[in-house]
Amino acid sequence: MNRPRVIRGLLHTGGKTIAELKERYKGQGLTYRDFESLQRAFDLFDGQELLLFRIENRGGLEYHVSQWPKENMKIMDAVYEAEQTHPQPQYKGDRQKFMLDWLQGKYSAGMAFAFQAGDVEELETVAEEINEPDPPTMEDAAPPRWRQIRDKKRRRKGARKP
């Protein structure tokens, strides 16, 4: 079982231009309106604190959202703006449905929401990374003693038949 490190981070995402966003998300099929939504989302995320998973991969360091604070309306607005660019939109132009799901705790992005390392200031580590072997599955575990005895008797019985 692998659990990445969880940190409390301060986001510095504001002030990005459409040209910067186009460069960052090149090749993802976003329209100009999508870039405008992303720009509004990043401006709203700026200065907010979130719990984030710190993930190191081949492309460098990335931070994925661990948990959304439900009571923070500025983050809710930012997520709604980002939701407008979702590849399979559930809330495209439907703010009422989004707000209802958000406030009831039913909202799920359906994908990882990530921030680049340059956009996050680490404030504190909430949980360290854990790398443990996976617990044995039922197939790997030894069968109960009664089953071992039964199987042994069946094998003996079958061995006597010529």
Side-chain angles (χ1 to χ4, degrees):
M1 177 181 345
N2 182 14
R3 282 187 243 154
R5 185 161 88 172
V6 178
I7 61 116
R8 188 170 57 88
L10 180 64
L11 301 177
H12 300 288
T13 56
K16 297 196 181 339
T17 65
I18 298 287
E20 290 172 327
L21 293 172
K22 279 184 179 181
E23 183 62 32
R24 181 184 277 193
Y25 296 105
K26 185 187 290 186
Q28 294 192 17
L30 299 173
T31 66
Y32 191 81
R33 285 187 191 257
D34 292 336
F35 289 119
E36 289 177 329
S37 288
L38 280 175
Q39 186 180 36
R40 284 190 298 272
F42 280 132
D43 286 343
L44 288 165
F45 277 127
D46 193 45
Q48 299 297 310
E49 286 185 18
L50 287 176
L51 290 181
L52 303 162
F53 292 117
R54 182 178 183 207
I55 298 176
E56 295 181 43
N57 55 27
R58 284 175 260 129
L61 186 61
E62 240 180 19
Y63 294 90
H64 293 245
V65 175
S66 168
Q67 180 179 4
W68 299 113
K70 186 170 67 170
E71 64 282 347
N72 188 325
M73 293 298 130
K74 195 169 181 181
I75 288 180
M76 181 190 72
D77 291 339
V79 172
Y80 176 75
E81 287 296 335
E83 187 68 42
Q84 302 308 297
T85 65
H86 197 289
Q88 298 167 340
Q90 301 176 53
Y91 304 102
K92 189 97 172 177
D94 194 353
R95 189 173 187 82
Q96 287 298 116
K97 182 180 179 208
F98 174 80
M99 286 180 66
L100 186 63
D101 286 353
W102 179 274
L103 294 172
Q104 291 177 347
K106 294 180 183 178
Y107 172 74
S108 172
M111 63 180 185
F113 210 99
F115 294 99
Q116 293 181 346
D119 293 340
V120 177
E121 176 186 346
E122 288 190 26
L123 300 176
E124 72 174 312
T125 299
V126 176
E128 287 294 334
E129 182 174 1
I130 298 173
N131 286 321
E132 297 174 344
D134 290 333
T137 61
M138 290 304 284
E139 297 99 29
D140 297 342
R145 184 74 181 139
W146 66 267
R147 187 172 290 154
Q148 292 174 358
I149 293 168
R150 183 194 68 190
D151 293 346
K152 187 175 181 180
K153 285 180 181 177
R154 285 184 181 165
R155 283 193 306 270
R156 284 185 179 167
K157 203 181 226 185
R160 283 190 266 167
K161 292 182 185 177

